[in-house]
Amino acid sequence: MATESFGFQAEISQLLDLIINTFYSNKEIFLREIISNGSDALDKIRYASLTDPEALKTEPELYIRITPDKDNKMLSLRDTGIGMTKADLVNNLGTIAKSGTKAFMEALHSGADISMIGQFGVGFYSAYLVAERVQVITKHNDDEQYIWESAA
């Protein structure tokens, strides 16, 4: 598998800096946000399966699993949702193109609480409240498996 590197867009870098260096009081929100993302992915594959029964062929069981690994100080969250294509990864995890990063940052500067992060579509980045490194392993039915990894 070939490795490609992409830099975060400036707005994402600013958001990560704000999250990591400013808002330490509500670290637990990351779990709510990541579970919410998994739930959304399950809803999307369930909806897709209404018109395409093959959508659930590779994994008919819909679930979100949380697995702690104390020895390695790692928390794994796995869902059997719709997954992301390579284009989804590039567009949604590293750029402002389809996220509410700018709106969220503006709300923070206006006094909003960081716990509102999920309302702006950028809840994924809350993982950096507790993680030095985040890895996303994803497989969409229309694409191959990809691994996206970042150390904020």
Side-chain angles (χ1 to χ4, degrees):
M1 174 182 275
T3 300
E4 294 181 60
S5 295
F6 297 90
F8 281 122
Q9 228 183 34
E11 293 87 351
I12 298 296
S13 294
Q14 289 172 338
L15 175 66
L16 289 173
D17 186 55
L18 276 171
I19 288 173
I20 295 165
N21 297 313
T22 309
F23 302 103
Y24 286 105
S25 61
N26 294 323
K27 287 185 177 186
E28 68 280 356
I29 66 166
F30 89 94
L31 191 56
R32 177 192 71 198
E33 296 304 328
I34 303 301
I35 291 170
S36 178
N37 288 351
S39 178
D40 290 347
L42 292 174
D43 288 344
K44 288 177 183 177
I45 194 75
R46 188 179 301 112
Y47 180 76
S49 73
L50 295 175
T51 56
D52 178 12
E54 295 290 309
L56 293 174
K57 185 177 181 181
T58 56
E59 181 58 74
E61 183 184 356
L62 300 178
Y63 62 83
I64 297 172
R65 286 203 182 113
I66 303 170
T67 309
D69 180 348
K70 269 185 144 178
D71 294 337
N72 293 307
K73 296 183 180 181
M74 186 169 65
L75 185 64
S76 298
L77 284 89
R78 179 175 186 217
D79 68 71
T80 54
I82 197 155
M84 288 185 275
T85 64
K86 180 179 179 181
D88 292 336
L89 285 169
V90 171
N91 290 330
N92 296 325
L93 297 187
T95 69
I96 196 171
K98 294 190 177 181
S99 76
T101 305
K102 187 173 183 179
F104 178 65
M105 289 174 57
E106 288 170 356
L108 285 177
H109 288 298
S110 298
D113 187 317
I114 193 171
S115 66
M116 295 174 55
I117 192 168
Q119 296 176 27
F120 294 88
V122 293
F124 165 78
Y125 301 106
S126 66
Y128 291 103
L129 286 167
V130 296
E132 294 174 8
R133 182 177 64 90
V134 174
Q135 185 180 65
V136 175
I137 302 172
T138 188
K139 167 74 176 85
H140 189 282
N141 286 342
D142 296 336
D143 206 345
E144 60 187 86
Q145 176 177 300
Y146 292 100
I147 299 172
W148 181 95
E149 189 171 318
S150 175

